[in-house]
Amino acid sequence: MKDIQLRGIGMTSERTRGRLIQRLRDMGIKDEQVLAAMLNTPRHLFVDEALASRAYEDTALPIGQGQTISQPYIVGRMTELLLQGEALYSVLEVGTGCGYQTAILAGLVDRVYTVERLDQLLHQATQRFRKLGLRNIRAQHSDGGWGWEAHAPYDGIIVTAAPAEIPAPLLQQLAPGARLVIPVGSGRQQKLSVITRTEEGFEQVDHETVSFVPLVGGRG
Ligand code: SAH
């Protein structure tokens, strides 16, 4: 990819990106590794060119087919909750969308597995991974409610679409001690939950209210 496109200019420059990172820090994102991964990931390449100048605002943006790229603060927050300062080997992401969250994870863990039910979005996302030279991502077109059995168990699972209830396969595909970060609820707003697999079973901690598109069953 052309260097200038990667680095960005004006509203997509590294300086603009740096301002967003400072804002996330001010809003309470503490994990410097997560912030560094976000600084190094050109969010403007994950949205339509017409929206590139807004890529470093702390806001969700449309990515087509009624879906959105998550607000940077939420991406930072969920990634921080997933890692909790630990080095994870394998992570499953449900809801690839434009692939921005996937790309952030690729810089922080060894292997990222990601599933998306909309073929067209998945196709665009995998093209971006290739252009950015991200080689530790495996992507599949499927209903993530079933997880991705072939590569389980995972050291962490992150879900970026909201189910009414936590899908059981996702719990089953957690390694001992691993965490699932997931928005849960059937309305426009959901609670962000972290479920940890313990020796005895599962422990759930609820965090802030978030607003995700619904997790939809089946492939589109
Ligand atoms: N992480 C994404 C967020 C995309 S929005 C990003 O950074 O852009 C959520 C995505 O979840 C949408 O692309 C939607 O198609 C997808 N999705 C919804 N239900 C799904 C399911 N059951 N399995 C896989 N993906 C699903």
Side-chain angles (χ1 to χ4, degrees):
M1 179 182 297
K2 286 196 289 303
D3 199 36
I4 190 76
Q5 211 182 341
L6 250 177
R7 278 190 286 120
I9 43 167
M11 290 307 284
T12 61
S13 67
E14 186 157 350
R15 194 150 147 247
T16 312
R17 225 181 286 173
R19 275 200 293 271
L20 169 66
I21 301 311
Q22 187 51 44
R23 175 156 183 201
L24 300 183
R25 207 178 268 122
D26 294 343
M27 288 171 82
I29 305 296
K30 292 193 181 62
D31 190 326
E32 286 296 329
Q33 262 194 305
V34 171
L35 290 167
M38 293 183 77
L39 182 64
N40 293 330
T41 306
R43 191 171 184 254
H44 65 279
L45 300 183
F46 290 83
V47 295
D48 196 87
E49 252 174 80
L51 290 172
S53 65
R54 299 193 56 200
Y56 299 102
E57 292 174 16
D58 186 30
T59 175
L61 293 168
I63 56 171
Q65 305 204 42
Q67 308 303 320
T68 53
I69 178 172
S70 306
Q71 179 194 350
Y73 169 77
I74 295 297
V75 172
R77 181 78 180 123
M78 288 177 77
T79 309
E80 186 174 78
L81 286 170
L82 182 76
L83 300 179
Q84 302 200 9
E86 291 171 19
L88 303 186
Y89 181 74
S90 69
V91 166
L92 171 67
E93 176 194 36
V94 174
T96 317
C98 67
Y100 177 66
Q101 170 81 70
T102 328
I104 303 285
L105 289 169
L108 292 163
V109 308
D110 290 287
R111 296 241 180 290
V112 186
Y113 298 93
T114 185
V115 295
E116 167 60 54
R117 65 178 290 274
L118 298 176
D119 201 20
Q120 202 185 326
L121 289 180
L122 187 72
H123 181 70
Q124 288 171 346
T126 52
Q127 282 184 328
R128 291 183 180 115
F129 303 151
R130 208 165 306 133
K131 278 189 193 157
L132 292 169
L134 302 173
R135 291 181 220 292
N136 58 341
I137 300 170
R138 296 289 171 276
Q140 178 173 266
H141 177 215
S142 67
D143 175 357
W146 296 101
W148 190 351
E149 180 76 50
H151 303 287
Y154 300 97
D155 298 323
I157 300 180
I158 184 168
V159 183
T160 62
E165 279 170 43
I166 297 169
L170 299 182
L171 295 173
Q172 282 149 17
Q173 291 174 22
L174 285 174
R179 280 179 287 278
L180 165 65
V181 179
I182 184 168
V184 188
S186 52
R188 285 177 63 93
Q189 303 226 306
Q190 309 95 25
K191 65 177 187 305
L192 183 59
S193 297
V194 178
I195 295 100
T196 307
R197 182 167 209 162
T198 65
E199 304 248 314
E200 295 80 40
F202 298 95
E203 250 171 43
Q204 181 167 342
V205 179
D206 293 338
H207 294 269
E208 57 258 57
T209 298
V210 288
S211 184
F212 276 88
V213 296
L215 187 85
V216 180
R219 288 191 294 184

Short mmCIF file of all heavy atoms in Angstrom, two decimals, residues 162-187:
data_model
loop_
_atom_site.label_atom_id
_atom_site.label_comp_id
_atom_site.label_asym_id
_atom_site.label_seq_id
_atom_site.Cartn_x
_atom_site.Cartn_y
_atom_site.Cartn_z
N ALA A 162 -24.60 -7.70 19.89
CA ALA A 162 -25.23 -8.05 21.16
C ALA A 162 -26.29 -9.14 21.06
O ALA A 162 -27.28 -8.98 20.34
CB ALA A 162 -25.86 -6.80 21.77
N PRO A 163 -26.12 -10.27 21.77
CA PRO A 163 -27.18 -11.27 21.86
C PRO A 163 -28.09 -10.93 23.06
O PRO A 163 -27.67 -10.21 23.97
CB PRO A 163 -26.39 -12.55 22.16
CG PRO A 163 -25.21 -12.07 22.95
CD PRO A 163 -24.90 -10.68 22.47
N ALA A 164 -29.31 -11.47 23.03
CA ALA A 164 -30.21 -11.28 24.18
C ALA A 164 -29.68 -12.07 25.37
O ALA A 164 -29.81 -11.63 26.52
CB ALA A 164 -31.62 -11.74 23.81
N GLU A 165 -29.11 -13.22 25.08
CA GLU A 165 -28.50 -14.05 26.12
C GLU A 165 -27.18 -14.60 25.62
O GLU A 165 -26.99 -14.78 24.42
CB GLU A 165 -29.43 -15.21 26.47
CG GLU A 165 -30.54 -14.80 27.42
CD GLU A 165 -31.58 -15.89 27.57
OE1 GLU A 165 -31.18 -17.07 27.68
OE2 GLU A 165 -32.78 -15.55 27.53
N ILE A 166 -26.30 -14.92 26.54
CA ILE A 166 -24.96 -15.39 26.15
C ILE A 166 -25.05 -16.76 25.48
O ILE A 166 -25.57 -17.71 26.08
CB ILE A 166 -24.04 -15.47 27.38
CG1 ILE A 166 -23.85 -14.07 27.98
CG2 ILE A 166 -22.68 -16.07 27.00
CD1 ILE A 166 -23.19 -14.05 29.33
N PRO A 167 -24.57 -16.90 24.23
CA PRO A 167 -24.62 -18.21 23.56
C PRO A 167 -23.72 -19.22 24.28
O PRO A 167 -22.53 -18.96 24.52
CB PRO A 167 -24.08 -17.91 22.16
CG PRO A 167 -24.21 -16.42 21.98
CD PRO A 167 -24.03 -15.85 23.36
N ALA A 168 -24.29 -20.38 24.61
CA ALA A 168 -23.55 -21.41 25.36
C ALA A 168 -22.24 -21.86 24.70
O ALA A 168 -21.25 -22.08 25.40
CB ALA A 168 -24.47 -22.61 25.63
N PRO A 169 -22.19 -22.02 23.36
CA PRO A 169 -20.94 -22.48 22.75
C PRO A 169 -19.75 -21.56 23.07
O PRO A 169 -18.62 -22.02 23.16
CB PRO A 169 -21.25 -22.47 21.24
CG PRO A 169 -22.72 -22.62 21.17
CD PRO A 169 -23.27 -21.89 22.35
N LEU A 170 -20.03 -20.26 23.23
CA LEU A 170 -18.93 -19.33 23.51
C LEU A 170 -18.34 -19.62 24.88
O LEU A 170 -17.12 -19.58 25.08
CB LEU A 170 -19.41 -17.88 23.41
CG LEU A 170 -19.93 -17.46 22.03
CD1 LEU A 170 -20.33 -15.99 22.03
CD2 LEU A 170 -18.87 -17.71 20.95
N LEU A 171 -19.20 -19.94 25.84
CA LEU A 171 -18.71 -20.29 27.19
C LEU A 171 -17.90 -21.57 27.12
O LEU A 171 -16.83 -21.68 27.73
CB LEU A 171 -19.90 -20.46 28.15
CG LEU A 171 -20.71 -19.19 28.43
CD1 LEU A 171 -21.96 -19.53 29.25
CD2 LEU A 171 -19.87 -18.16 29.17
N GLN A 172 -18.40 -22.52 26.35
CA GLN A 172 -17.72 -23.83 26.25
C GLN A 172 -16.36 -23.72 25.57
O GLN A 172 -15.48 -24.55 25.82
CB GLN A 172 -18.60 -24.82 25.48
CG GLN A 172 -19.72 -25.39 26.32
CD GLN A 172 -20.96 -25.73 25.50
OE1 GLN A 172 -20.88 -25.84 24.27
NE2 GLN A 172 -22.10 -25.89 26.15
N GLN A 173 -16.19 -22.71 24.72
CA GLN A 173 -14.92 -22.60 23.99
C GLN A 173 -13.87 -21.73 24.70
O GLN A 173 -12.83 -21.42 24.14
CB GLN A 173 -15.20 -22.10 22.56
CG GLN A 173 -15.94 -23.17 21.75
CD GLN A 173 -16.37 -22.72 20.37
OE1 GLN A 173 -15.82 -21.79 19.81
NE2 GLN A 173 -17.38 -23.39 19.82
N LEU A 174 -14.16 -21.36 25.95
CA LEU A 174 -13.18 -20.63 26.77
C LEU A 174 -12.23 -21.61 27.44
O LEU A 174 -12.68 -22.61 28.03
CB LEU A 174 -13.89 -19.85 27.88
CG LEU A 174 -14.64 -18.57 27.55
CD1 LEU A 174 -15.38 -18.08 28.79
CD2 LEU A 174 -13.70 -17.49 27.02
N ALA A 175 -10.93 -21.35 27.39
CA ALA A 175 -9.96 -22.14 28.15
C ALA A 175 -10.13 -21.82 29.64
O ALA A 175 -10.69 -20.78 29.98
CB ALA A 175 -8.55 -21.79 27.68
N PRO A 176 -9.66 -22.70 30.53
CA PRO A 176 -9.73 -22.38 31.96
C PRO A 176 -9.02 -21.05 32.25
O PRO A 176 -7.92 -20.82 31.74
CB PRO A 176 -8.98 -23.55 32.61
CG PRO A 176 -9.04 -24.65 31.61
CD PRO A 176 -9.05 -24.00 30.26
N GLY A 177 -9.69 -20.17 32.98
CA GLY A 177 -9.11 -18.87 33.32
C GLY A 177 -9.36 -17.80 32.25
O GLY A 177 -9.07 -16.63 32.46
N ALA A 178 -9.89 -18.22 31.08
CA ALA A 178 -10.09 -17.27 29.98
C ALA A 178 -11.34 -16.41 30.19
O ALA A 178 -12.24 -16.78 30.94
CB ALA A 178 -10.19 -18.03 28.66
N ARG A 179 -11.37 -15.28 29.50
CA ARG A 179 -12.48 -14.33 29.65
C ARG A 179 -13.25 -14.14 28.35
O ARG A 179 -12.66 -14.16 27.27
CB ARG A 179 -11.94 -12.95 30.03
CG ARG A 179 -11.59 -12.78 31.48
CD ARG A 179 -11.03 -11.39 31.74
NE ARG A 179 -9.70 -11.24 31.20
CZ ARG A 179 -8.60 -11.65 31.83
NH1 ARG A 179 -8.68 -12.21 33.02
NH2 ARG A 179 -7.41 -11.49 31.27
N LEU A 180 -14.56 -13.94 28.52
CA LEU A 180 -15.44 -13.58 27.40
C LEU A 180 -15.92 -12.15 27.65
O LEU A 180 -16.47 -11.87 28.72
CB LEU A 180 -16.63 -14.55 27.38
CG LEU A 180 -17.86 -14.19 26.54
CD1 LEU A 180 -17.53 -14.15 25.04
CD2 LEU A 180 -18.99 -15.21 26.79
N VAL A 181 -15.70 -11.25 26.68
CA VAL A 181 -16.18 -9.87 26.81
C VAL A 181 -17.32 -9.70 25.81
O VAL A 181 -17.12 -9.91 24.61
CB VAL A 181 -15.04 -8.87 26.52
CG1 VAL A 181 -15.53 -7.43 26.63
CG2 VAL A 181 -13.87 -9.11 27.47
N ILE A 182 -18.51 -9.34 26.30
CA ILE A 182 -19.69 -9.42 25.45
C ILE A 182 -20.78 -8.43 25.89
O ILE A 182 -21.05 -8.32 27.08
CB ILE A 182 -20.23 -10.89 25.46
CG1 ILE A 182 -21.42 -11.09 24.52
CG2 ILE A 182 -20.59 -11.35 26.88
CD1 ILE A 182 -21.77 -12.56 24.28
N PRO A 183 -21.39 -7.71 24.93
CA PRO A 183 -22.55 -6.88 25.29
C PRO A 183 -23.78 -7.79 25.34
O PRO A 183 -24.00 -8.57 24.41
CB PRO A 183 -22.65 -5.89 24.13
CG PRO A 183 -21.98 -6.56 22.98
CD PRO A 183 -21.06 -7.62 23.50
N VAL A 184 -24.56 -7.71 26.41
CA VAL A 184 -25.73 -8.60 26.54
C VAL A 184 -27.00 -7.78 26.76
O VAL A 184 -27.05 -6.93 27.64
CB VAL A 184 -25.55 -9.59 27.72
CG1 VAL A 184 -26.69 -10.62 27.70
CG2 VAL A 184 -24.21 -10.30 27.65
N GLY A 185 -28.02 -8.08 25.93
CA GLY A 185 -29.31 -7.41 26.10
C GLY A 185 -30.04 -7.36 24.77
O GLY A 185 -29.42 -7.45 23.71
N SER A 186 -31.36 -7.22 24.83
CA SER A 186 -32.14 -7.26 23.61
C SER A 186 -32.57 -5.88 23.13
O SER A 186 -33.06 -5.72 22.02
CB SER A 186 -33.37 -8.15 23.82
OG SER A 186 -34.06 -7.71 24.97
N GLY A 187 -32.34 -4.84 23.94
CA GLY A 187 -32.76 -3.49 23.54
C GLY A 187 -31.66 -2.76 22.80
O GLY A 187 -30.67 -3.36 22.39
#
